[in-house]
Amino acid sequence: MKINLNVDVHHLTRIEGHGNIKIKVKDGEVTEARWDTVETPRFFEVMLKDKHYTSAGMLAARICGICSISHSLCSIRATENAFKVTIPETAAKLRLLAKHGETLQSHVLHVLFLAAPDFFNEPSVIPLIKKKPAVVAIAIRLKGLANRLCDAVAGRTTHPVAFQVGGVTLVPQKRHLLGFRDELKRSLDDLRIVADLISTIKLPDFVRETEFVSLRGEKEYPFIGGSLISSDGVNHAEQDYLPMTNEYVDKNNTSKWSKLSRESYAVGALARFNNNAQLLHPDAAEIAAALGLKPVCHNPFMNNVAQLVECFHVVHESIRLIDELVESGMGETMAQVTPKAGEGVGAVEAPRGILFHHYKYDKTGRILKANCVVPTTQNNANIHHDMKSLVKKFALTGEMTDEKLELLCSMLVRSYDPCLSCSVH
Amino acid sequence: MKYLGIEPVKPKIAIFDFTSCQGCELQLVNKEETLADFLNAVEIVRFREASSSYSDDYDIALIEGSVSRNDEVKRLEKIRKTAKVVVAFGSCACFGGVNQLKNAFDLKAANKEVYGNDPKETINVRPVKDIIAVDIEIPGCPVSKAEIESLICHVVWDSPFQPPVYPVCVECKQRFTTCLFEKGQMCLGPITRAGCNAPCPAGGQGCWGCRGPAVEPNYTSFFSVVKEKGFSDVELKERLNFFGAFQEVNVS
Ligand code: SF4
Ligand code: SF4
């Protein structure tokens, strides 16, 4: 039998930003299988030039509306490294608490609002309000909690206002933090219901070996700063990110592509898990085991599961941070900052993967040169190569239709939780 | 959702994203306390970021983002032909937002710096109203969901849609936030339209004017206060230009 298939998705839905899928199978042969990002470039690296260090973080946050806390923290870290500023411990803890809020918010949004409709054959979460009211209620509750936590610690959940070079400018009240502590405890029950639900869903059985890049945790599962690691054994210091990311321009894409030891590599929850699973909170590790997630996992669809596992981890870690903050009291939250000429790199694990900001400053504290390497930029080539391999595996089985193939490839892209406007920036 | 026993006509809403960070769209699914009611009160026929269903039959077009490539001009023109009401939502859509900071640089050089020898198509950033007629503007970076809800009430129940005319300072007073000028920082609150509930000053950061001018702001007296407090024209200009919202004024 001659298999002929044709998929042409112009602007894939339920992802952040604009990207296209194009697949052609002619007489049983894959003649085309592409994933391309066509988002309009905003030229953030250029816009950051001449900006004073006091507004760079605020501008950088606007690279992404969903992970603005990560961009803001990464930008500020780059500047602090350039100026050799060490921030007070309380400030570091509050930043990490907001970071956990963002991770929870972003993962819940992805797993339950953007990916879940595929699991129930619905176009969006809206029909699920009637079909699965209990799950949607949980999704809304978890997302609400995460957003309110970010509001309280970062001043606002989208485009935070409380992070400045040197520390934080907002100190949440103890009784507020304790209120969140109770809610976080309760949210673990909600997360368990979600885990039970996910355990009933059969994700596509697909494996393509790739390389995973992330921060390398020393004592803790990593989120802000530290050294870099790949699952193929490449290690670098934070400031030596360039030989790790190797960006290049592809003619069909406004997002750059990246590679390291192979034709592409992946970042994100699955990469963090694969490189740091031993550092997860025991409860999160137990959930991973129950859901069949083991390092090194090469099934990209399992990124959904890795995100859920991380939700457990960040909830437990947030509770721990609140306990520490309440016990130690707040104390100093801002360090003295003196701008100086020089360069600095910040690396942060954004929800969708490792993120780098790199600035070169003049002596007055204005940016001379900026470079940002964004999670989805690093994932785009990997998605593209996964798609090729996925089409080869499933399209030639004889039972494939255009519609089924479109859904399968769309689900593949969505598993990465791509943020395309971010990737192009 | 009945009111006085009457089922209202649900407006058909389509949401479109142009050059943006998509943070404004995200606000549509935030404010979780009223999210289910919000989704019930309207019929969202198109929301690419959240749904795969898709229709070209809509009454209201919510437009996020600015224009920075020629294909976006054509998309906008098509939307204008279909929509009864066009809403520019977010500072990117209303004023160009942070995206318009690009316009201060040479586009060719910018392209070279980012893409080397493979330049990508790009044009100077423009707000939506430069391309098509806009019926309602909801500024903010990001927009406030409460304002979008009040817009929805306006279309569904015909209740008045009247964003505040007063400046952000009023909201600082309501929240008991210590004025940032007292702490030695600059703030555009006195000339910027309220409606955000002043989160930036409350979080320790002066206002950068993402919502644009309040009604009849007193620029002259504000500029002289800024000068008196020792801030330079460069600092002031930088702030006024940040979101592109104060192009009506000249700092001399
Ligand atoms: S106005 Fe701000 S939040 Fe909204 S899309 Fe533009 S940059 Fe993002
Ligand atoms: S902080 Fe800004 S907005 Fe608030 S009262 Fe002072 S000048 Fe006005």
Side-chain angles (χ1 to χ4, degrees):
Chain A
M1 195 185 68
K2 296 276 185 218
I3 301 167
N4 289 295
L5 293 163
N6 199 359
V7 175
D8 188 359
V9 182
H10 189 73
H11 296 177
L12 177 63
T13 57
R14 273 190 282 127
I15 58 162
E16 205 276 353
H18 298 87
N20 300 336
I21 297 173
K22 216 166 173 154
I23 296 159
K24 268 204 186 97
V25 178
K26 226 178 141 206
D27 296 337
E29 204 152 304
V30 183
T31 56
E32 193 173 23
R34 297 203 56 85
W35 162 248
D36 291 316
T37 305
V38 295
E39 188 75 25
T40 49
R42 287 168 292 164
F43 295 92
F44 265 92
E45 279 112 341
V46 175
M47 296 197 290
L48 279 161
K49 290 210 300 192
D50 306 335
K51 295 295 166 295
H52 195 246
Y53 77 90
T54 45
S55 64
M58 195 172 57
L59 178 56
R62 267 79 186 171
I63 290 177
C64 181
I66 305 178
C67 59
S68 53
I69 290 182
S70 290
H71 277 281
S72 161
L73 291 177
C74 192
S75 167
I76 286 171
R77 182 173 170 86
T79 303
E80 284 162 354
N81 285 341
F83 298 167
K84 313 250 179 312
V85 174
T86 311
I87 62 167
E89 207 182 318
T90 301
K93 284 184 180 164
L94 286 169
R95 285 181 183 183
L96 187 56
L97 184 56
K99 180 83 190 60
H100 288 336
E102 177 185 79
T103 303
L104 182 63
Q105 172 268 128
S106 179
H107 285 357
V108 167
L109 179 72
H110 176 247
V111 176
L112 293 173
F113 287 74
L114 304 181
D118 286 333
F119 308 148
F120 301 105
N121 280 318
E122 292 292 352
S124 78
V125 76
I126 297 173
L128 294 179
I129 298 177
K130 287 217 169 74
K131 233 172 114 180
K132 295 264 169 202
V135 181
V136 176
I138 286 178
I140 290 181
R141 204 153 53 223
L142 287 169
K143 201 165 88 59
L145 166 61
N147 278 333
R148 280 182 291 109
L149 180 63
C150 293
D151 282 338
V153 183
R156 183 162 66 185
T157 170
T158 306
H159 304 326
V161 298
F163 304 142
Q164 307 221 343
V165 176
V168 300
T169 53
L170 183 69
V171 180
Q173 287 174 349
K174 195 168 150 180
R175 65 186 164 88
H176 274 157
L177 287 178
L178 289 172
F180 281 119
R181 188 186 189 283
D182 290 344
E183 274 191 82
L184 286 162
K185 278 246 161 203
R186 283 198 298 273
S187 76
L188 288 165
D189 296 334
D190 278 347
L191 282 172
R192 272 181 231 290
I193 296 173
V194 178
D196 285 344
L197 178 80
I198 296 291
S199 71
T200 64
I201 287 159
K202 209 180 155 331
L203 291 169
D205 174 23
F206 168 72
V207 166
R208 182 182 75 95
E209 271 215 23
T210 193
E211 185 172 16
F212 293 97
V213 171
S214 72
L215 283 174
R216 189 173 77 123
E218 304 283 336
K219 293 195 195 85
E220 286 174 20
Y221 197 82
F223 289 99
I224 301 178
S227 61
L228 318 174
I229 184 172
S230 101
S231 55
D232 282 356
V234 184
N235 288 280
H236 283 293
E238 187 170 2
Q239 67 270 22
D240 299 327
Y241 72 106
L242 283 172
M244 204 82 180
T245 55
N246 309 301
E247 284 188 320
Y248 62 100
V249 181
D250 177 85
K251 68 173 183 343
N252 293 309
N253 281 269
T254 49
S255 162
K256 290 179 189 170
W257 280 7
S258 280
K259 61 178 171 195
L260 181 51
S261 316
R262 311 173 184 226
E263 58 190 352
S264 64
Y265 68 84
V267 300
L270 190 59
R272 282 190 292 266
F273 172 84
N274 280 335
N275 292 337
N276 299 283
Q278 74 288 358
L279 296 169
L280 279 172
H281 186 277
D283 191 24
E286 214 170 276
I287 296 290
L291 294 174
L293 180 64
K294 282 197 289 281
V296 176
C297 169
H298 287 281
N299 178 349
F301 292 93
M302 289 299 271
N303 191 49
N304 293 297
V305 174
Q307 287 188 332
L308 179 62
V309 167
E310 287 193 337
C311 288
F312 280 88
H313 180 82
V314 297
V315 167
H316 281 290
E317 281 301 291
S318 302
I319 294 171
R320 181 180 66 91
L321 281 169
I322 290 176
D323 285 343
E324 287 179 15
L325 285 163
V326 168
E327 176 153 345
S328 68
M330 293 298 179
E332 257 325 300
T333 57
M334 274 300 270
Q336 185 70 35
V337 177
T338 320
K340 54 168 105 111
E343 286 183 53
V345 174
V348 158
E349 284 286 351
R352 292 168 186 75
I354 193 161
L355 162 69
F356 304 94
H357 280 237
H358 176 191
Y359 306 143
K360 188 172 176 195
Y361 276 99
D362 71 9
K363 62 177 192 302
T364 67
R366 286 196 180 265
I367 294 180
L368 292 167
K369 196 168 164 50
N371 188 32
C372 311
V373 181
V374 172
T376 302
T377 316
Q378 299 164 78
N379 273 335
N380 271 328
N382 206 62
I383 300 176
H384 175 78
H385 290 295
D386 269 0
M387 193 173 296
K388 273 189 171 164
S389 161
L390 185 77
V391 171
K392 279 203 189 110
K393 171 161 184 189
F394 288 98
L396 308 177
T397 57
E399 280 160 30
M400 205 31 97
T401 60
D402 288 354
E403 294 72 34
K404 276 203 237 166
L405 187 61
E406 175 177 332
L407 178 65
L408 190 64
C409 290
S410 304
M411 282 174 72
L412 170 74
V413 179
R414 285 185 194 120
S415 307
Y416 281 85
D417 190 7
C419 181
L420 301 178
S421 49
C422 220
S423 76
V424 177
H425 56 279
Chain B
M1 232 201 354
K2 285 187 185 172
Y3 182 67
L4 300 177
I6 304 163
E7 189 76 55
V9 183
K10 289 186 182 186
K12 290 192 184 126
I13 298 190
I15 295 139
F16 298 93
D17 41 20
F18 288 74
T19 301
S20 67
C21 82
Q22 308 204 336
C24 285
E25 271 177 90
L26 182 67
Q27 304 316 305
L28 296 174
V29 291
N30 279 356
K31 200 157 181 282
E32 290 75 8
E33 343 52 284
T34 54
L35 182 57
D37 284 347
F38 174 74
L39 294 174
N40 258 324
V42 293
E43 192 183 336
I44 296 182
V45 299
R46 204 164 152 157
F47 187 2
R48 196 195 47 75
E49 198 182 356
S51 174
S52 302
S53 60
Y54 172 106
S55 157
D56 269 326
D57 171 25
Y58 48 86
D59 309 308
I60 303 173
L62 285 188
I63 299 181
E64 175 199 72
S66 37
V67 169
S68 75
R69 204 167 58 195
N70 283 318
D71 57 324
E72 294 186 315
V73 174
K74 291 199 195 82
R75 267 176 75 209
L76 270 184
E77 285 163 350
K78 207 171 139 218
I79 293 167
R80 182 68 268 188
K81 282 200 190 105
T82 314
K84 295 194 190 92
V85 181
V86 168
V87 182
F89 88 124
S91 305
C92 289
C94 295
F95 322 114
V98 292
N99 301 333
Q100 51 78 42
L101 291 170
K102 182 187 82 175
N103 297 354
F105 297 87
D106 176 64
L107 288 191
K108 266 212 179 112
N111 229 318
K112 178 116 195 144
E113 175 155 353
V114 175
Y115 292 109
N117 295 325
D118 296 284
K120 305 292 179 191
E121 190 195 335
T122 189
I123 55 175
N124 265 334
V125 168
R126 285 186 289 171
V128 176
K129 62 173 175 251
D130 275 17
I131 314 286
I132 57 169
V134 170
D135 303 296
I136 296 175
E137 287 192 317
I138 304 185
C141 184
V143 288
S144 107
K145 172 85 178 277
E147 259 182 356
I148 297 182
E149 287 179 332
S150 115
L151 169 79
I152 299 304
C153 292
H154 170 64
V155 235
V156 181
W157 315 105
D158 205 20
S159 61
F161 176 65
Q162 180 56 69
V165 293
Y166 48 80
V168 179
C169 294
V170 174
E171 291 177 339
C172 266
K173 301 281 175 303
Q174 284 163 350
R175 291 183 70 154
F176 302 105
T177 302
T178 310
C179 180
L180 289 174
F181 277 108
E182 276 175 37
K183 297 192 201 163
Q185 290 189 46
M186 198 202 305
C187 180
L188 296 188
I191 53 170
T192 301
R193 186 166 112 179
C196 52
N197 201 24
C200 304
Q205 187 180 63
C207 172
W208 283 69
C210 72
R211 296 170 55 84
V215 170
E216 292 180 14
N218 190 339
Y219 290 121
T220 330
S221 86
F222 176 67
F223 293 162
S224 61
V225 169
V226 168
K227 231 179 220 145
E228 231 166 74
K229 301 267 179 191
F231 299 101
S232 69
D233 281 355
V234 177
E235 282 171 279
L236 178 60
K237 264 191 205 155
E238 208 166 359
R239 239 175 230 242
L240 291 168
N241 287 342
F242 200 77
F243 292 101
F246 286 89
Q247 281 161 15
E248 62 177 47
V249 278
N250 275 319
V251 192
S252 47

